[in-house]
Amino acid sequence: MAKGKKTGGRKKGVPNQNTTALKEMILAALTGVGGIEYLMTQAGDNPAAFMTLVGKVLPLQVTGQDGGPLVVERVTYDPNKTSS
């Protein structure tokens, strides 16, 4: 076998069936306990756990407008300068 050459296993991009089944079970359980209303209750009752969940579902990569690069603008405040 050549070094770095993959043989066997799933093809790239094919989702794991266990992961798909687990996601379906979690969504079914969420629906069973009230869906959005339940999540809203948890946000108030358990904010740390809720924010952890939010962090897990946010996209890992952030892009700028229309999928372009993210533009970071630095804004500073000069208390000695008056606005006109």
Side-chain angles (χ1 to χ4, degrees), residues 22-83:
L22 181 59
K23 285 180 182 179
E24 289 173 359
M25 287 187 282
I26 291 169
L27 291 174
L30 177 61
T31 300
V33 295
I36 294 171
E37 291 80 15
Y38 175 78
L39 290 175
M40 290 171 57
T41 300
Q42 293 307 308
D45 294 348
N46 303 301
F50 183 77
M51 293 310 293
T52 299
L53 174 65
V54 170
K56 299 285 184 185
V57 298
L58 288 178
L60 297 178
Q61 294 182 348
V62 179
T63 59
Q65 186 173 5
D66 299 324
L70 189 64
V71 177
V72 178
E73 182 179 337
R74 183 175 179 183
V75 178
T76 59
Y77 170 71
D78 184 352
N80 299 320
K81 189 174 185 180
T82 59
S83 61

Side-chain angles (χ1 to χ4, degrees), residues 1 5-12:
M1 173 167 48
K5 183 169 176 136
K6 181 178 177 183
T7 60
R10 287 192 313 269
K11 299 251 188 272
K12 186 175 182 179

